[in-house]
Amino acid sequence: MCGIAGFIYADKGRQIDKRLLENMAAIQYHRGPDDFGTIELQDEAVGMSHARLMIIDLSESGRQPYLSEDKNLLLAHNGEFYDYQRIRADLSTKGAKFRSKSDSEILMHLYPEKGFPGCLDSLRGEFSFALYDKKIDRLILVRDRFGIKPLYFAQHNGTLAFGSEIKSIFAHPDIPREFHPEGLLHQLMQTIVPGSTPFAHVQQVKPGHYVTIDREAGNFRISEKPYWDLLFPKAHERDDNVPESKSIESVRESLIDAVRVRLEADVPVGCYLSGGIDSCAITGLASSMRQDPVKAFTIGFDHDSYDESHIALEMAQMAGADQELLRLKADHLYDHFEQTHWHTERTIYNTLGVAKYLMSQRVHEIGYRVVLTGEGSDELFGGYPSFRKDMFEHSIDDDTESVAMRKELEEANRLVRGSMLPPEDLVDPALSSMCGFTPSSLQTWLATEQTARRILNREMADSIVNYSPGAGIAGQINASAVKDRHPLDIAQYMWIKTQLEGQILTWGGDRVDMANSMEARPPFLDHILAEKAVHLPPKHRIKGQIEKYVLREAMKGVLPKTLYERRKFAFMAPPAHTDPAKLAALRNLADKYLADSSDLLNTQEFENLWQEYSADSTPAWRRTQLDAVINHSVGIMILGNQLIKRDVPSFAASEADRLGWRR
């Protein structure tokens, strides 16, 4: 795992400033502190930089960017290509010559052999990369199938810059730094439009997509295309009579293989271990494959309703893992809120992102650089309560049974009403038109729209008075992928395209892990496993009120009985209103920035919402909802200070000087 960055000019007569490339690498030093490299193709007006975290091939030969022997291809890669040894051996038999043992280098030979996008079919793992082909004068930006690894780009006045992080793009002085109103509204609402960011000019390469940049008559021609999508079978094409035993065996076999390939590294590999089935299953499988005890890292909270560490302890003992427990105090989390935002570059609705930032810091201190994680299991196997709500409401013909199951679900999940479940049913016209209903996971955050509009700066709010957040999301979804699908399939697909990529894999994944030079590998998001999971009958994913049923059965032998029989609990940090000290810490942060944030937020409306939020008389679901809006509001203030008002190009240059990243 690393940090990549670079830029291309529409005018091939412009010179590439090597120092700019060094600055773009240095500002994301945390992603790759072991080494850096830059390559400038002056005749082509293209340059790339790379900050390296050594995981595979620890020698100097693994330094990037790579330039092919014939000087035609330039590559900067972030992430992991699994099964690369087999691919490299196959390419070698065909005459390919490798200068390193790195997994990255296989792409330099797959591309000429299989062409583009044909070569992408051979790539398994989590990755993003930039590849420039001199012969056709084309820059290609590629992101992995689920968006595990980030990749952003921005163009302005003949400059197109790209990078693993937005701050690396802002290190180029040609790229303006400003918010746009729609982006801020979505930040306040928790919902992110696929491919967007809160910053004007800056876009993301969508998961499973590639972007091509060609130059024509002194301008850029930019095109984005999908190369993969997670397609559930149409309802009439699904075989719902598949034996349970076959589904269970398919999941078991695929997950074992996904864990196996992700244990490959030239450095030690540990596991994140919470009290959920997902991370416990990964830890159990990893322990069974290793000769030595697996190092397991666990977060514990000082609030019984949100703490799962006792179950993680039981799992660690059962697996014979060497467990490291990081117990966090609720009010301590806000001490690191600002630093976490510097890395996430988007706002966060709960301090779980801060907790994960502190955990990755601890992992780094202990000397680990790689961990396996449980992200993706809920998405594939129907783990969230919102999925069950949609299934019960839209696929059960018996109204009496449907109402009873929904009531039981909501009673069991009162703690997350207002976050994981909507406070009341909401219908969005655009989403309902596309999906047949408005997915509950999006209802939760669409319900905050009016609150979010109130808190926006009046000028900004007025400029988007006719903008529909639901339509904005629907407009970036592959509508054919939800047509004629089972309601559970639709609910899972929509979550994967919005919340998984927009939050879980951002502030809950790569960004807080790589903040401390630590690579996280999620086996559940192996595309081979995912392509099998979409064919599982809905009744095997959710059986009655039992979520992730097929996974429970597949992993039964490596799970403690307590966990096997326990229903899912949403892993999150305690909201601020549950602890007076934490509430005071959040208020202190707001006071630090509020006076200087009137260009972004309506400060009086913020104060009004704060009064409602902090009042004991406010209903629990509303306080949970407002906890998210308040956190997002403070996050916007912080990001405005860090990435808009700060002179990022100068800061990046000072970082390169401080680190000695000059050649």
Side-chain angles (χ1 to χ4, degrees):
M1 298 296 179
C2 306
I4 66 174
F7 53 92
I8 179 172
Y9 291 132
D11 177 4
K12 294 182 73 171
R14 287 189 67 179
Q15 288 292 292
I16 298 295
D17 185 345
K18 180 184 181 70
R19 291 178 65 86
L20 271 183
L21 292 172
E22 293 166 343
N23 299 347
M24 294 170 83
I27 201 170
Q28 52 184 346
Y29 162 87
H30 48 274
R31 298 190 68 90
D34 298 325
D35 192 15
F36 82 99
T38 65
I39 291 182
E40 313 83 50
L41 301 182
Q42 295 292 3
D43 291 342
E44 309 303 321
V46 175
M48 295 185 189
S49 70
H50 190 270
R52 183 184 180 199
L53 178 65
M54 296 181 182
I55 302 295
I56 293 175
D57 187 358
L58 308 186
S59 69
E60 190 174 319
S61 64
R63 177 183 294 164
Q64 294 188 49
Y66 286 137
L67 185 63
S68 61
E69 290 293 326
D70 62 2
K71 313 297 184 186
N72 182 60
L73 299 178
L74 178 63
L75 169 71
H77 166 236
N78 167 37
E80 301 290 352
F81 297 143
Y82 300 119
D83 201 23
Y84 71 95
Q85 299 99 326
R86 179 191 59 80
I87 296 173
R88 187 175 61 202
D90 177 67
L91 290 167
S92 295
T93 64
K94 299 172 183 176
K97 303 299 180 184
F98 292 85
R99 78 179 197 200
S100 74
K101 296 294 184 181
S102 169
D103 58 311
S104 304
E105 197 179 356
I106 63 171
L107 187 59
M108 302 292 280
H109 300 280
L110 282 173
Y111 176 84
E113 182 194 42
K114 298 192 173 185
F116 192 88
C119 65
L120 300 179
D121 292 340
S122 300
L123 302 178
R124 178 184 187 183
E126 49 268 6
F127 53 83
S128 63
F129 62 83
L131 182 69
Y132 176 71
D133 186 333
K134 180 178 177 179
K135 286 181 181 177
I136 58 175
D137 190 21
R138 174 175 292 169
L139 175 65
I140 307 171
L141 306 177
V142 181
R143 196 170 179 204
D144 67 62
R145 295 168 178 85
F146 283 102
I148 302 166
K149 292 289 103 186
L151 186 56
Y152 301 91
F153 66 99
Q155 65 153 329
H156 185 70
N157 288 345
T159 298
L160 186 141
F162 62 88
S164 297
E165 299 191 2
I166 295 170
K167 62 180 69 69
S168 65
I169 293 174
F170 284 165
H172 197 300
D174 286 1
I175 305 299
R177 305 185 309 281
E178 56 190 15
F179 287 120
H180 62 87
E182 292 93 340
L184 287 188
L185 177 64
H186 279 279
Q187 288 285 274
L188 288 168
M189 293 174 59
Q190 176 75 3
T191 60
I192 299 297
V193 174
S196 74
T197 75
F199 301 97
H201 309 289
V202 183
Q203 298 172 259
Q204 296 188 67
V205 179
K206 294 178 190 172
H209 283 64
Y210 63 89
V211 173
T212 57
I213 298 99
D214 296 286
R215 285 181 283 211
E216 291 183 348
N219 294 302
F220 293 121
R221 179 165 55 86
I222 302 173
S223 173
E224 182 176 53
K225 294 182 180 179
Y227 67 89
W228 185 88
D229 202 358
L230 187 66
L231 297 177
F232 290 84
K234 293 184 177 181
H236 67 276
E237 296 172 345
R238 181 187 293 287
D239 182 4
D240 283 339
N241 296 315
V242 174
E244 233 179 56
S245 58
K246 184 175 181 181
S247 292
I248 292 168
E249 185 54 37
S250 174
V251 170
R252 180 187 296 120
E253 178 185 275
S254 300
L255 184 56
I256 287 173
D257 188 57
V259 171
R260 177 189 62 81
V261 298
R262 282 164 178 79
L263 287 172
E264 173 66 31
D266 294 336
V267 295
V269 179
C271 293
Y272 274 161
L273 176 61
S274 70
I277 285 177
D278 320 327
S279 63
C280 287
I282 299 301
T283 301
L285 290 178
S287 295
S288 68
M289 296 179 193
R290 295 274 296 271
Q291 297 296 322
D292 56 332
V294 169
K295 189 74 173 179
F297 300 93
T298 299
I299 296 172
F301 296 115
D302 62 346
H303 193 299
D304 291 343
S305 296
Y306 296 87
D307 184 44
E308 296 184 308
S309 60
H310 60 288
I311 297 177
L313 176 61
E314 186 177 346
M315 179 67 216
Q317 291 172 341
M318 180 177 174
D322 177 14
Q323 188 179 37
E324 177 79 16
L325 174 61
L326 179 64
R327 190 163 292 282
L328 299 171
K329 292 184 178 180
D331 58 318
H332 182 55
L333 294 173
Y334 279 106
D335 294 342
H336 303 273
F337 201 66
E338 294 160 289
Q339 186 62 17
T340 301
H341 276 77
W342 171 249
H343 292 288
T344 61
E345 299 178 334
R346 65 145 292 169
T347 61
I348 59 180
Y349 85 102
N350 182 274
T351 49
L352 176 59
V354 182
K356 295 197 72 176
Y357 167 78
L358 293 173
M359 174 54 83
S360 70
Q361 187 178 73
R362 182 65 180 144
V363 172
H364 179 83
E365 289 169 354
I366 291 173
Y368 275 74
R369 295 185 171 204
V370 183
V371 294
L372 304 191
T373 73
E375 280 85 14
S377 170
D378 291 309
E379 286 72 15
L380 295 184
F381 303 113
Y384 294 117
S386 60
F387 295 162
R388 277 175 281 160
K389 182 179 185 296
D390 290 340
M391 185 175 179
F392 299 158
E393 186 171 353
H394 301 291
S395 68
I396 297 177
D397 295 329
D398 186 329
D399 288 343
T400 303
E401 182 185 1
S402 174
V403 170
M405 295 190 79
R406 287 179 59 190
K407 184 177 180 181
E408 182 183 350
L409 170 69
E410 288 167 2
E411 281 295 316
N413 289 275
R414 281 178 295 175
L415 198 65
V416 294
R417 186 177 177 223
S419 60
M420 298 300 292
L421 282 174
E424 57 186 23
D425 290 343
L426 178 150
V427 176
D428 181 88
L431 290 167
S432 290
S433 175
M434 182 174 69
C435 299
F437 60 93
T438 303
S440 295
S441 62
L442 291 175
Q443 287 184 42
T444 300
W445 304 115
L446 290 169
T448 67
E449 180 182 353
Q450 294 311 312
T451 301
R453 286 184 181 275
R454 279 172 53 197
I455 209 170
L456 264 183
N457 165 285
R458 287 273 61 85
E459 184 179 346
M460 284 193 174
D462 290 345
S463 72
I464 55 172
V465 68
N466 295 318
Y467 175 73
S468 166
I473 294 170
Q476 294 300 318
I477 299 292
N478 176 10
S480 65
V482 296
K483 184 177 175 58
D484 300 326
R485 264 65 176 192
H486 188 279
L488 179 59
D489 299 344
I490 295 171
Q492 289 179 220
Y493 182 86
M494 291 299 291
W495 174 280
I496 287 168
K497 294 300 174 181
T498 55
Q499 307 296 71
L500 174 65
E501 187 269 347
Q503 55 167 311
I504 293 173
L505 296 178
T506 305
W507 60 255
D510 171 89
R511 307 306 292 278
V512 291
D513 293 318
M514 290 300 286
N516 291 295
S517 312
M518 202 278 297
E519 172 182 309
R521 301 177 175 181
F524 284 109
L525 294 179
D526 184 273
H527 79 279
I528 297 173
L529 168 61
E531 288 170 354
K532 291 185 178 180
V534 295
H535 291 281
L536 297 171
K539 64 184 179 182
H540 292 175
R541 284 172 267 161
I542 297 176
K543 189 171 185 177
Q545 289 281 3
I546 303 174
E547 82 287 344
K548 296 186 284 194
Y549 172 77
V550 66
L551 178 63
R552 288 174 188 267
E553 296 303 311
M555 296 291 106
K556 185 176 181 179
V558 297
L559 299 175
K561 186 173 185 292
T562 306
L563 180 59
Y564 169 74
E565 295 177 348
R566 176 178 181 257
R567 290 186 183 171
K568 177 178 174 60
F569 174 80
F571 183 53
M572 60 190 291
H577 64 270
T578 63
D579 183 294
K582 191 173 186 181
L583 188 65
L586 176 57
R587 181 67 229 195
N588 288 338
L589 267 180
D591 289 342
K592 179 177 177 179
Y593 292 100
L594 191 59
D596 295 327
S597 298
S598 60
D599 58 328
L600 301 174
L601 303 177
N602 184 322
T603 56
Q604 183 55 57
E605 285 294 347
F606 178 88
E607 293 292 359
N608 294 341
L609 285 180
W610 181 270
Q611 291 303 314
E612 182 185 0
Y613 171 58
S614 56
D616 291 338
S617 59
T618 301
W621 68 264
R622 177 61 171 166
R623 295 185 84 179
T624 298
Q625 188 183 71
L626 286 176
D627 183 71
V629 177
I630 294 291
N631 274 291
H632 286 309
S633 300
V634 176
I636 285 171
M637 301 178 206
I638 292 170
L639 289 178
N641 187 269
Q642 292 178 338
L643 294 172
I644 304 296
K645 296 173 182 177
R646 169 185 269 166
D647 185 344
V648 179
S650 294
F651 176 74
S654 68
E655 284 294 279
D657 292 338
R658 180 182 66 83
L659 295 167
W661 279 22
R662 301 294 189 193
R663 287 199 176 104

